[in-house]
Amino acid sequence: MKKQRYVLCLLMTGVLLYYAVPRLTVFAQGLEGWFSLSWLVLAMFVLAGNLAAVLYSPKKGKKGMKQPERKRVLGR
């Protein structure tokens, strides 16, 4: 379930970048340039975080192949 959420966040970030990049002017002077640059950096952090979560999420094991739990013996 979480993997689907990460993929959805990746897609939404891609859509936001698709609409925003043509309108942002990174080389502008003053506050506009700083805003554009900081917005793009934040979007790259979001992309990197969600991509890492998708790639490094633990794989689900097979439901019928559980390993038996070891019982601890107290007092030994």
Side-chain angles (χ1 to χ4, degrees), residues 23 25 49 70 76:
R23 292 168 177 81
T25 54
R70 293 184 179 180
R76 286 191 179 178

Side-chain angles (χ1 to χ4, degrees), residues 5 13 17 25 31-32 40 49 55 58 65 71-72:
R5 188 188 79 178
T13 306
L17 281 170
T25 54
L31 195 58
E32 183 182 358
L40 288 173
L55 293 177
M65 302 291 287
K71 294 184 180 180
R72 298 181 91 182

Side-chain angles (χ1 to χ4, degrees), residues 57-71:
S57 62
K59 305 287 185 223
K60 287 187 177 179
K62 293 184 180 179
K63 292 180 182 176
M65 302 291 287
K66 286 190 177 180
Q67 293 181 352
E69 295 181 19
R70 293 184 179 180
K71 294 184 180 180

Side-chain angles (χ1 to χ4, degrees), residues 39-56:
W39 196 91
L40 288 173
V41 167
L42 181 66
M44 290 302 134
F45 280 143
V46 170
L47 277 174
N50 285 306
L51 188 61
V54 168
L55 293 177
Y56 295 115

